[in-house]
Amino acid sequence: MTKKFSNKTIIITGAAKGQGRATAIAFAKNGANIVAFDLPNRLCYPAYNDACQNDLISLKKEINSFGGKVEICFGDVRNEKDVIQTVNVAAEKFKTIDILFNNAGICAYGMAHELTEEEWDFMMDINCKGAFLFSKHVIPHMRRQKSGVIVNNSSIAGLRGMKRLSHYAASKWAMVGLTKSLALELAEYNVRVVSLHATGVNTPMNDGLAFLEGETPEAIAQKSAGNLLNTPWIEVEDVVNAMLYICSDKARFMTGSQFVLDAGLLTR
């Protein structure tokens, strides 16, 4: 039985945990070559961040256990040298770069007038600048191939305002502008660009936000989301299913658009 993404290569940022990790495993099981990128150690912001090398190493072991092909790369999406090195690994090891999932991101609370400049820059640079840098260096490969898909992981916060999350919402709205602009630039090369907008997802980030507030993840999800459907959050598998569709030929005419996975939240 032919696997859906055999001989395709996907670069995934923020691949060590949550949505990125689940996507890496699912695409590997569907035959894709995986280039998994994440931090080697924790950042000072947000406070719940606990990144370490073992996360990516364990991902590699898991993918290898079922015969999947994976390369892991440590770095910071804000550092262009790290980005270039990772893109070069993908091109040299697997020859083509077919999909880019700009997934790396952070979230933390703060009223706009109380945010420090450093907190604002952390949010904007990791959530948006990182997506720009990876796209910048992947695009030449996709243009030469005349094919490819870039998925920018935004949020429902990229389609609405968010109290105590102005820097997060601003970074996720920026992903929409980046998506639409890249779609215009790349359509003639048969490269599609889509932004993904999920409601709260059951990941370590959700647990981290609960930690910051001194509440349970369930309470945080209910308070911040208010989904129309009776669920406090969606699961990583829901994001994976969206990614498998968006990156497939079934979505061949989808570009410049926003794929919403919000459990009805934006309908309220």
Side-chain angles (χ1 to χ4, degrees), residues 104-121:
I106 60 171
C107 185
Y109 295 110
M111 296 291 282
H113 67 285
E114 296 174 345
L115 291 172
T116 66
E117 185 177 358
E118 183 181 36
E119 289 170 339
W120 177 271
D121 288 345

Side-chain angles (χ1 to χ4, degrees), residues 4 7 35 40 43 73 80 100 104 114 140 153 168 170 176 184 196 228 233 259:
K4 187 182 299 185
N7 301 317
V35 179
L43 297 172
C73 299
E80 191 164 20
L100 170 63
E114 296 174 345
N153 202 1
Y168 180 71
V176 177
L184 288 167
L196 178 59
L228 187 61
W233 47 53
F259 192 101

Side-chain angles (χ1 to χ4, degrees), residues 180-247:
K180 290 184 175 293
S181 299
L182 293 183
L184 288 167
E185 293 178 5
L186 298 174
E188 65 182 291
Y189 300 97
N190 195 36
V191 176
R192 300 189 294 108
V193 192
V194 176
S195 57
L196 178 59
H197 299 261
T199 185
V201 185
N202 187 15
T203 67
M205 178 185 284
N206 196 56
D207 297 337
L209 293 173
F211 167 78
L212 293 179
E213 295 290 275
E215 297 195 42
T216 65
E218 292 83 359
I220 289 295
Q222 293 284 13
K223 184 183 298 185
S224 64
N227 296 327
L228 187 61
L229 297 177
N230 186 26
T231 181
W233 47 53
I234 62 173
E235 301 294 337
V236 291
E237 290 78 14
D238 298 305
V239 175
V240 165
N241 289 335
M243 280 294 297
L244 291 170
Y245 172 72
I246 293 168
C247 298

Side-chain angles (χ1 to χ4, degrees), residues 125-137:
D125 287 352
I126 292 173
N127 290 6
C128 189
K129 179 183 174 182
F132 156 69
L133 287 175
F134 261 97
S135 298
K136 172 185 175 180
H137 292 286

